[in-house]
Amino acid sequence: MKGRNMTRWRDPAKDPRQAPKSNLITPEGAARLRAILDHLSRVKRPAISAKVGEAAAQGDRSENADYTYNKKELNRVIARITYLTKRLDELQIVDRLPADTSKVFFGAYVSLEDENGGEVHLRIVGHDEIDTKKRWISIDAPMAKALLSKQVGDEAKVLTPNGDTFYTITAIDYTA
């Protein structure tokens, strides 16, 4: 059986993509997801629905590229709305600081120094908030797991493709 979604078989027990993802999110991340959902529901879906209606009114739908394209786009938007609605219901918003702010927990901005003296600044956020440009990493990432519950001055060992890399925590902050 062939198809665009067919790939080689992977054992679900060993496939890292099947690992459960945390349902934590910051208040800013939740607000961003709600804004995207609102835009899709109130602006984009009605606009595409109108385009589909106009294209359908032109006649034969089987040879109407405008109709076909806009119908696919409408289905994609509806699927995204459905996903965001379900995902927002599942998420747990973390809107308070941890009891011990001297340790690394969810939402922390962490400054690290690698073995070569290079500085790395990152933030630990939920799976839905990952941003590589801002260096926001998921709490499920190996780097974040290695940093959790560590304090300033502690060393964290992270397995990378080049072998083990050691980082020293130089600063922990919970405010932007």
Side-chain angles (χ1 to χ4, degrees), residues 36-54 70 73-75 77-78 81:
I36 292 169
L37 177 62
D38 186 57
H39 174 74
L40 290 174
S41 299
R42 294 179 188 257
V43 178
K44 194 144 187 169
R45 183 178 177 183
I48 295 173
S49 293
K51 287 181 182 179
V52 169
E54 290 169 12
N70 286 316
E73 184 69 13
L74 180 62
N75 288 337
V77 169
I78 290 171
I81 289 170

Side-chain angles (χ1 to χ4, degrees), residues 1-116:
M1 191 167 141
K2 293 184 180 181
R4 67 184 180 123
N5 294 325
M6 298 297 296
T7 59
R8 66 181 176 83
W9 183 84
R10 290 183 174 89
D11 183 4
K14 297 178 183 176
D15 188 3
R17 298 174 301 172
Q18 302 300 324
K21 304 213 178 344
S22 65
N23 287 330
L24 302 177
I25 193 166
T26 62
E28 304 88 37
R32 195 180 116 261
L33 288 182
R34 281 192 204 99
I36 292 169
L37 177 62
D38 186 57
H39 174 74
L40 290 174
S41 299
R42 294 179 188 257
V43 178
K44 194 144 187 169
R45 183 178 177 183
I48 295 173
S49 293
K51 287 181 182 179
V52 169
E54 290 169 12
Q58 292 175 0
D60 187 13
R61 295 178 187 170
S62 64
E63 295 180 9
N64 190 337
D66 237 8
Y67 176 81
T68 304
Y69 172 77
N70 286 316
K71 188 68 174 174
K72 285 182 182 178
E73 184 69 13
L74 180 62
N75 288 337
R76 191 186 66 77
V77 169
I78 290 171
R80 183 74 175 150
I81 289 170
T82 304
Y83 169 77
L84 286 174
T85 303
K86 287 180 183 177
R87 187 68 181 149
L88 282 167
D89 288 342
E90 296 170 353
L91 291 173
Q92 178 184 354
I93 299 172
V94 179
D95 57 355
R96 56 184 160 66
L97 294 176
D100 186 3
T101 57
S102 66
K103 293 185 178 182
V104 177
F105 293 109
F106 181 82
Y109 291 89
V110 184
S111 297
L112 307 168
E113 186 177 313
D114 64 11
E115 299 164 328
N116 303 324

